[in-house]
Amino acid sequence: MQSVASALARLGDLAASPTVSRLAAAFAAAGHELALVGGPVRDSFLNRPVHDLDFTTDATPDRILHLVKPLADAHWDIGRAFGTIGALVGGETVEITTYRADSYDGTTRKPDVVFGTSLEEDLMRRDFTVNALALRLPAVTLVDPSGGIDDLLGKVLRTPSTPAVSFGDDPLRMLRGARFTSQLGFTLDVETADAMEAMRESIAIISAERIGDEIAKLLRSDNPRAGIEVLMESGLAEIVLPEIPALRLEIDEHHHHKDVYQHTLTVLEQAIGYEKSRGNLGGPGHAPDLIVRLAALLHDIGKPATRKLEPGGVVSFYHHDVVGSKLAKKRLRALRYDNETINAVAKLIELHLRFFGYTEGAWTDSAVRRYVRDAGDQLERLHILTRADVTTRNRRKADRLGFAYDDLEQRIAALAEKEQMDAVRPDLDGEQIMAILGVRPGREVGEAYRFLLEQRLDDGPLGVPEATRRLQSWWAERS
């Protein structure tokens, strides 16, 4: 948090920027109000990077579009029904929204869209005071009707109106509260936290897409643990991610195992650390990887269903990787994530235990090839998840596992360099198989292809002559 004077100076520079000043002049000339609002103003006080520019105005969506068109390189009105017009102005993305005063009716999943009449009214209907700040343009006047500056200084999340009214207007704000604790490092004030717990059931009227989007934003933050803990403490997690509270398994005096919930949060934190340090998912400065973070959060959700108390105080979770993969698919589909994300997360969870067999005995080259083949394009993410899954406090054990995975990665790299393992295929393609066997396209070609792939995985590149010999031998025995 920088000083108020420094923040105001930064806001002044922002207001004087070409994009903002052009928009401010256009709206003022047309007799309309315009204010920079929300995140850009907040982040100027927090000395955080300002990316997209959000504005609010008394102009209707039609008027906004009329005023923006001459200035924009491109524009879109996908949010027009909600009063929002987007545009690309001077290379910067902007969104301009008519003053709003809408709310949910408590039963349906869509809010009643009502346009407001003043900037102050618009700000008082926003989610938290730290986001209810605006900079009037072109006058460059700070507007703070709810004490947002004081809450920024105190690092507190508080609603402009009472929490009951605010969360009643839009229950998604409860999830946004959890997300902002992670993004901003702020804490909820007592009244707001109490209201989240009391009103948690109302989140059910929010669409699955919006809930999934908020969870994704939370996980992409630098400290998702804080937001997840808010979801747990408020009881919201039991509604939006019930698999996470289920990880708080009971531990009796005779059977002992690690706290799966705390282990999961540690794995998530460690995965983020590896994601940043390895830099193989997009290079330095890449966007946070949602797939890695979802896989880390959900990797052990199969444990409650597979927990078994064994003799001697041992607790087992056989096949929790397979069960967890299926549960993750089900949950992510319910949250309307895309198929690419769902399938990648499910694959990582299903494979996350595979490495631990490596420490029990040396893998053959064939086993290493199969590890790479099964991971496919998720191999780097699997490296991250597997390393992050080591949370033991036993330094000797942790070092042993770390050295073993170092060895596995070195073997993968050596084989990849030697055999082009990034595209493991049989030495013969479908056309060659049909020509050698004298068959037409059909089931036999697929079976022959799979046979040759297994040969390739077992023994490495064979070459066309040897692959042909083995194929003919297999075909003769099969016939």
Side-chain angles (χ1 to χ4, degrees):
M1 179 74 182
Q2 60 182 337
S3 70
V4 174
S6 297
L8 290 174
R10 191 178 181 203
L11 282 169
D13 292 340
L14 186 59
S17 68
T19 296
V20 177
S21 58
R22 287 174 66 198
L23 286 169
F27 276 74
H32 288 291
E33 299 177 3
L34 185 71
L36 191 65
V37 67
V41 182
R42 178 200 68 211
D43 290 341
S44 292
F45 278 89
L46 297 176
N47 203 26
R48 290 162 55 97
V50 174
H51 299 293
D52 296 345
L53 299 174
D54 296 325
F55 297 88
T56 188
T57 179
D58 62 341
T60 64
D62 288 344
R63 285 292 292 162
I64 296 172
L65 194 57
H66 174 76
L67 293 171
V68 166
K69 272 185 177 181
L71 308 176
D73 304 310
H75 59 83
W76 50 94
D77 60 357
I78 191 170
R80 190 171 189 160
F82 297 94
T84 300
I85 300 297
L88 189 66
V89 180
E92 294 189 83
T93 301
V94 303
E95 285 193 349
I96 307 173
T97 303
T98 306
Y99 296 150
R100 295 274 294 273
D102 47 71
S103 64
Y104 282 81
D105 61 12
T107 56
T108 62
R109 293 192 167 202
K110 293 184 178 180
D112 295 322
V113 178
V114 178
F115 295 140
T117 58
S118 73
L119 174 60
E120 287 76 12
E121 178 189 22
D122 178 274
L123 295 176
M124 290 300 293
R125 301 299 293 246
R126 291 181 177 255
D127 53 7
F128 297 98
T129 60
V130 296
N131 295 326
L133 298 168
L135 191 70
R136 285 191 185 276
L137 301 168
V140 192
T141 303
L142 184 66
V143 182
D144 177 18
S146 59
I149 299 299
D150 290 339
D151 288 339
L152 279 173
L153 293 170
K155 296 186 175 182
V156 173
L157 290 172
R158 184 172 55 85
T159 56
S161 54
T162 66
V165 169
S166 182
F167 297 154
D169 286 345
D170 186 354
L172 188 70
R173 290 171 177 172
M174 294 185 287
L175 295 188
R176 288 170 62 84
R179 191 236 300 178
F180 285 131
T181 63
S182 287
Q183 285 185 335
L184 304 178
F186 288 12
T187 57
L188 297 166
D189 82 327
V190 175
E191 186 181 1
T192 302
D194 288 346
M196 286 174 63
E197 182 176 2
M199 302 179 67
R200 63 185 183 275
E201 297 292 342
S202 65
I203 198 68
I205 72 169
I206 301 299
S207 69
E209 290 87 349
R210 295 185 74 201
I211 291 173
D213 186 54
E214 277 301 322
I215 292 172
K217 289 176 180 177
L218 188 160
L219 288 176
R220 287 188 176 108
S221 69
D222 285 338
N223 179 30
R225 174 190 281 263
I228 293 168
E229 288 175 342
V230 168
L231 295 180
M232 293 287 286
E233 291 162 4
S234 65
L236 281 163
E238 295 178 7
I239 303 170
V240 300
L241 273 177
E243 295 79 7
I244 304 307
L247 295 176
R248 286 179 164 172
L249 303 176
E250 294 182 6
I251 302 177
D252 62 38
E253 59 181 316
H254 302 296
H255 295 83
H256 302 282
H257 58 79
K258 69 176 68 176
D259 184 322
V260 184
Y261 168 65
Q262 290 298 329
H263 163 76
T264 293
L265 295 184
T266 301
V267 171
L268 176 57
E269 290 176 324
Q270 293 186 166
I272 292 171
Y274 282 120
E275 174 196 323
K276 292 178 177 179
S277 65
R278 290 173 68 95
N280 292 339
L281 297 175
H286 73 281
D289 193 278
L290 180 62
I291 290 173
V292 163
R293 299 178 186 208
L294 281 169
L297 180 65
L298 303 177
H299 79 284
D300 271 349
I301 61 173
K303 281 190 171 181
T306 58
R307 179 171 179 257
K308 185 177 180 182
L309 306 181
E310 306 281 5
V314 176
V315 180
S316 66
F317 303 98
Y318 295 122
H319 307 302
H320 78 267
D321 46 349
V322 177
V323 173
S325 177
K326 293 177 180 177
L327 290 174
K329 273 191 173 183
K330 183 177 180 181
R331 176 54 51 197
L332 296 179
R333 281 176 183 149
L335 291 171
R336 303 293 192 270
Y337 285 101
D338 62 274
N339 287 333
E340 182 180 350
T341 297
I342 293 170
N343 292 332
V345 171
K347 177 185 282 189
L348 290 169
I349 294 173
E350 184 174 353
L351 295 177
H352 83 275
L353 293 181
R354 182 79 66 86
F355 157 73
F356 292 97
Y358 190 83
T359 62
E360 298 169 2
W363 278 6
T364 62
D365 285 351
S366 173
V368 175
R369 292 187 193 101
R370 281 178 164 77
Y371 187 79
V372 174
R373 187 271 309 271
D374 292 345
D377 58 1
Q378 300 305 315
L379 182 61
E380 177 58 28
R381 290 185 173 114
L382 184 59
H383 290 335
I384 290 172
L385 178 61
T386 303
R387 288 182 179 276
D389 198 23
V390 178
T391 62
T392 177
R393 294 181 182 179
N394 184 321
R395 190 70 262 162
R396 181 177 297 178
K397 182 179 179 181
D399 287 344
R400 177 173 60 84
L401 291 169
F403 293 147
Y405 208 88
D406 289 342
D407 182 65
L408 175 58
E409 286 204 65
Q410 289 166 7
R411 289 185 64 191
I412 290 172
L415 283 171
E417 183 177 357
K418 180 181 178 182
E419 302 179 6
Q420 294 183 318
M421 278 176 47
D422 56 336
V424 176
R425 296 184 180 88
D427 297 81
L428 303 173
D429 61 24
E431 294 292 334
Q432 291 171 304
I433 290 171
M434 287 188 287
I436 292 168
L437 300 182
V439 297
R440 298 173 63 83
R443 178 172 53 84
E444 292 90 350
V445 179
E447 292 175 356
Y449 188 92
R450 287 189 290 273
F451 164 75
L452 288 173
L453 179 58
E454 290 299 318
Q455 297 291 301
R456 168 73 170 80
L457 290 168
D458 283 339
D459 299 326
L462 302 174
V464 172
E466 176 62 16
T468 300
R469 186 192 68 78
R470 294 192 187 190
L471 175 63
Q472 290 171 331
S473 176
W474 170 81
W475 184 248
E477 292 176 4
R478 183 180 182 280
S479 299

